Amino acid sequence: MATDTPTDVFEEHRSVLTGVAYRMLGRVADAEDVVQDAWLRWSSADREEVREPRAYLVRMTTRLAIDRLRQITARRESYVGPWLPEPIVTDFGPTVQDSAERAVLADSVSLAVLVVLESLSPLERAVFVLREAFGYPYAEIATTLDRSEAAVRQLAGRARKHVQERKPRFDVNPVERRDLTERFLTAAVEGDLDGLMSLLAPDARLVGDSGGKHKAPLRVIESADKVGRFLRGVSGQSIEGFETRSVEVNGGPAILVLSAGKPDSVFQIEVRDGRVSCVYVIRNPDKLTSFTV
C-alpha cells in the first residue's frame, strides 16, 4: 500500500496554509515566503510523531506568520501613503458549497476586514484568523500559540470587539454591489460629478495605495464632495491603451484597469445603505503582479 510522501501531505494542505498566512500578513509574497519556510521545516522534520499533519502545519505556519508580521512592522510604518492589503482574485472552489460558509470566507478576506486587522497585535490577529475564518476550537488555538485556553479566549474577545467596532457595517446583495460598482466606474471614467455625487454617501472616503510608485493620493480623501471632485479631476488623465475588466477581488466585485494590456490599478467599493461609503484604489505595481491578462 502506497504511503503519501511529505510533498503529497504538504500539498494537500497548502491552500489552507496560504489562506492563514495571507489573512495574517495581507500580502501574497509574504504569505508565500511563510508557506515556503513551513515546507522547508516540514520536509526536514521528524514526522513519525506527527499524528495530525494539518494541525501541525497550521501551527507551524501561524507561528512563522506571527514572526514575519513582527518583522515587517517597520516596513509598514515607512510606507509612502496609505497601506492597503494586496488584492487577490478569489475563488473559493467547489469544496465551498454552503452559502453561509462562502460568506464567512469572503468576509474574512475582504479588504475592509484586512485593513482593520492591521491594527491588532500579532497574537490577536492570529487568534481572530484561526477562530473567525477557519473555526478552530479555542483549545487547538491555545496549543498553536503556546498559550492557555483562557488567555486565547481573552485575546479572541478583545480582537472580535475591536473588529466589530471598526469594521464597516453593511449587508449588501452581491448583485446590487456589482451593479453599483459598474455605475460608479462609468461615472468616474466620464468625469460625471453629478453622477458620482448621487452614488457617494455623504461621509464617503477614498483610500489610494501606490507605495509612492504611481500617482495616488498620499492621504485618505474624506467627504463625498472631495472624493467626487478628485475622481472628476483624474478622469481626464489619459491612460495608454485604457481597458477595464470586472473581477472578483477579496470576496467582492472589483474593476481591474489595464494600461497597454498590463494591470494598472484595482478599484473596489464598499456599500452602505445603497451608497458608496468607501473607494479603494490600489496602484502599487508590486501588489498587482498576481493579475494575469
Side-chain angles (χ1 to χ4, degrees):
M1 182 176 179
T3 302
D4 289 342
T5 67
T7 301
D8 293 334
V9 174
F10 191 87
E11 290 303 321
E12 179 183 350
H13 303 295
R14 178 183 287 274
S15 62
V16 171
L17 306 181
T18 302
V20 169
Y22 173 74
R23 286 167 175 80
M24 283 287 296
L25 301 166
R27 190 165 179 267
V28 174
D30 288 324
E32 290 177 343
D33 285 347
V34 162
V35 172
Q36 178 62 19
D37 197 358
W39 155 247
L40 292 175
R41 296 186 182 213
W42 167 253
S43 63
S44 61
D46 180 1
R47 296 177 297 276
E48 291 186 5
E49 300 300 320
V50 178
R51 297 181 180 179
E52 298 181 11
R54 178 184 171 114
Y56 179 91
L57 289 168
V58 167
R59 181 164 61 250
M60 182 190 302
T61 300
T62 301
R63 290 176 176 178
L64 290 169
I66 289 173
D67 291 342
R68 176 61 65 95
L69 195 57
R70 288 168 173 158
Q71 292 169 7
I72 63 180
T73 298
R75 187 176 75 192
R76 300 276 173 86
E77 291 175 350
S78 62
Y79 196 78
V80 177
W83 186 94
L84 288 171
E86 179 177 347
I88 56 170
V89 176
T90 43
D91 178 6
F92 298 121
T95 59
V96 183
Q97 299 293 341
D98 182 76
S99 59
E101 182 184 359
R102 184 176 293 272
V104 168
L105 285 171
D107 186 55
S108 72
V109 80
S110 71
L111 293 180
V113 168
L114 291 178
V115 167
V116 175
L117 293 187
E118 283 295 303
S119 57
L120 296 177
S121 71
L123 280 177
E124 288 172 338
R125 187 163 183 168
V127 171
F128 186 88
V129 167
L130 293 175
R131 180 66 182 172
E132 302 298 324
F134 294 93
Y136 279 92
Y138 289 114
E140 191 167 339
I141 299 174
T143 299
T144 296
L145 300 180
D146 196 21
R147 295 291 191 280
S148 69
E149 186 172 338
V152 165
R153 286 180 180 275
Q154 189 174 42
L155 285 166
R158 203 159 56 224
R160 190 181 302 111
K161 179 181 178 182
H162 183 92
V163 172
Q164 289 174 347
E165 289 175 347
R166 291 162 177 77
K167 172 188 169 185
R169 292 171 173 80
F170 51 80
D171 184 11
V172 186
N173 183 298
V175 175
E176 177 188 354
R177 188 180 179 194
R178 189 174 302 280
D179 175 66
L180 193 57
T181 297
E182 293 174 354
R183 289 163 54 201
F184 184 79
L185 174 69
T186 299
V189 169
E190 295 177 354
D192 178 4
L193 183 58
D194 290 338
L196 288 168
M197 294 302 293
S198 71
L199 298 173
L200 288 164
D203 59 349
R205 303 162 62 244
L206 184 145
V207 185
D209 177 341
S210 70
K213 299 181 179 182
H214 222 313
K215 289 184 179 180
L218 294 180
R219 293 181 177 83
V220 177
I221 299 176
E222 299 183 349
S223 87
D225 181 66
K226 291 181 180 179
V227 171
R229 292 185 183 281
F230 170 79
L231 291 172
R232 185 182 67 171
V234 299
S235 66
Q237 298 179 8
S238 61
I239 297 179
E240 182 185 358
F242 176 83
E243 296 178 64
T244 62
R245 295 184 183 177
S246 296
V247 291
E248 181 178 288
V249 164
N250 293 71
I255 300 295
L256 172 64
V257 176
L258 303 174
S259 174
K262 297 181 179 179
D264 174 88
S265 49
V266 167
F267 285 74
Q268 189 174 67
I269 63 172
E270 290 175 11
V271 179
R272 186 184 69 241
D273 299 328
R275 296 284 192 94
V276 177
S277 59
C278 187
V279 184
Y280 294 119
V281 183
I282 301 172
R283 301 200 72 195
N284 185 338
D286 295 341
K287 295 185 178 183
L288 303 176
T289 57
S290 62
F291 290 88
T292 56
V293 295

